[in-house]
Amino acid sequence: MLNNKVMLITGASRGIGRATALLAAANHAKVIVNYHVNDSAAGELVDLIKQDGGDAIAVQADVSNEDDIKRMFRTIRETYGHLDILVNNAGIMKNNLLIMTPTAEFDEVVATNCKGSFLCLQYAAKMMMRKRSGKIINLSSIVGVNGNSGQIVYSASKAFVIGMTKSAAKELGQFGISVNAVAPGIIDTDLNCIIKEEVLESLIQNNIAFKRLGTPEDVAKVIIFLSSSLGDYISGQVIGVDGCQVM
Ligand code: NAP
């Protein structure tokens, strides 16, 4: 489905990014596994993809740091010459009530989730505009659509991703580049390890029609669909992947 497409996945060492990297490689994409600090997880993932006959490299870069992003895109240009797909997935979550939120926490979340995804989008768009094609998938969240008590900064950062997606889709469509957002519900990854077991169980029973958490693979399948020619006429959309939690 993704034959020889060059695909950058930010935050691919764990969770949704890792599942997306594995599914992309199984569909014959050349995968750039970006990560922040987890060298061993990224290295193991690259080894796993290569053992199965796939093509992957790991690139360390903090997406909130523009010098790191420049270096990452230089590596992509030198290794592959171009970029076909960006999955803007790296993100962090901090939960706090409005009046309890320290400014440092606001700065940290905005640096990674907003500035990081914006800069990756900008650098990817410059590479893709030259060849007049490309697909960009940004990771938002259902709380970016609906808001959530206790998640004011995180949900606002994910709403930023939606506005960015829609504006970029309008600007880049003329260059043959689609830009979509995926809005997962509660997915079983490290990101949610701060949520208490009993709170998760109550959310599953009372809020999720499918009565289970999402898996990273549930989200990866939608990302691969949007990355492939199956999604060719879709842009500017926010696709929920939440087991019917929100509609
Ligand atoms: P996760 O399991 O916590 O993994 C986060 C990934 O992002 C890791 O690979 C991490 O790298 C990387 N990362 C974090 N900060 C980074 C930075 N500054 N620069 C580069 N990479 C960085 O997260 P996840 O649950 O898979 O979430 C992935 C995306 O989906 C996030 O944008 C998240 O907001 C969104 N999302 C998740 C859920 C959910 O329920 N899980 C729901 C809605 C939306 P290291 O391993 O090196 O630390």
Side-chain angles (χ1 to χ4, degrees):
M1 212 148 59
L2 299 175
N3 268 355
N4 291 321
K5 298 284 186 200
V6 179
M7 181 170 189
L8 166 61
I9 306 169
T10 65
S13 45
R14 293 182 280 128
I16 293 168
R18 182 180 190 277
T20 305
L22 285 170
L23 196 54
N27 281 281
H28 311 293
K30 297 174 178 177
V31 184
I32 298 124
V33 173
N34 160 253
Y35 65 99
H36 186 199
V37 289
N38 215 326
D39 300 87
S40 55
E44 279 165 28
L45 177 60
V46 167
D47 290 345
L48 192 61
I49 290 172
K50 286 183 172 168
Q51 275 162 27
D52 286 344
D55 184 333
I57 57 168
V59 181
Q60 188 283 330
D62 174 354
V63 295
S64 68
N65 179 318
E66 188 167 3
D67 288 338
D68 280 14
I69 292 182
K70 265 188 201 154
R71 176 175 46 76
M72 176 163 69
F73 276 85
R74 198 180 320 123
T75 303
I76 295 169
R77 219 174 6 256
E78 287 168 3
T79 312
Y80 297 110
H82 69 281
L83 181 68
D84 297 300
I85 303 159
L86 165 68
V87 183
N88 228 339
N89 168 76
I92 56 171
M93 183 174 83
K94 303 276 173 185
N95 295 341
N96 240 321
L97 293 168
L98 167 64
I99 60 170
M100 305 295 285
T101 302
T103 310
E105 194 171 290
F106 174 92
D107 289 342
E108 197 186 344
V109 172
V110 168
T112 303
N113 296 5
C114 301
K115 183 182 167 197
S117 59
F118 172 77
L119 288 173
C120 288
L121 170 68
Q122 194 180 48
Y123 278 74
K126 284 180 190 164
M127 279 183 94
M128 291 173 178
M129 281 164 78
R130 269 184 236 127
K131 62 182 191 65
R132 301 188 77 83
S133 69
K135 295 199 187 277
I136 296 167
I137 296 93
N138 299 316
L139 267 290
S140 179
S141 163
I142 51 167
V143 302
V145 180
N146 281 22
N148 198 20
S149 170
Q151 290 197 306
I152 186 149
V153 176
Y154 178 71
S155 64
S157 76
K158 292 297 166 178
F160 170 91
V161 169
I162 293 174
M164 181 181 85
T165 298
K166 293 186 176 187
S167 299
K170 289 190 174 178
E171 282 191 26
L172 299 177
Q174 63 189 309
F175 299 100
I177 301 168
S178 69
V179 190
N180 290 293
V182 172
I186 309 172
I187 310 302
D188 192 6
T189 70
D190 295 347
L191 194 86
N192 290 315
C193 65
I194 50 173
I195 305 177
K196 288 194 184 111
E197 199 63 41
E198 58 269 27
V199 175
L200 275 181
E201 198 45 45
S202 160
L203 284 166
I204 291 169
Q205 293 313 326
N206 302 315
N207 296 71
I208 304 175
F210 281 10
K211 303 292 177 211
R212 68 168 177 88
L213 297 183
T215 64
E217 291 73 22
D218 287 326
V219 185
K221 287 178 206 167
V222 179
I223 295 172
I224 298 301
F225 166 75
L226 291 169
S227 305
S228 78
S229 60
L230 294 174
D232 268 352
Y233 202 52
I234 304 173
S235 194
Q237 303 304 307
V238 182
I239 314 286
V241 189
D242 62 6
C244 194
Q245 185 175 353
V246 162
M247 57 180 157

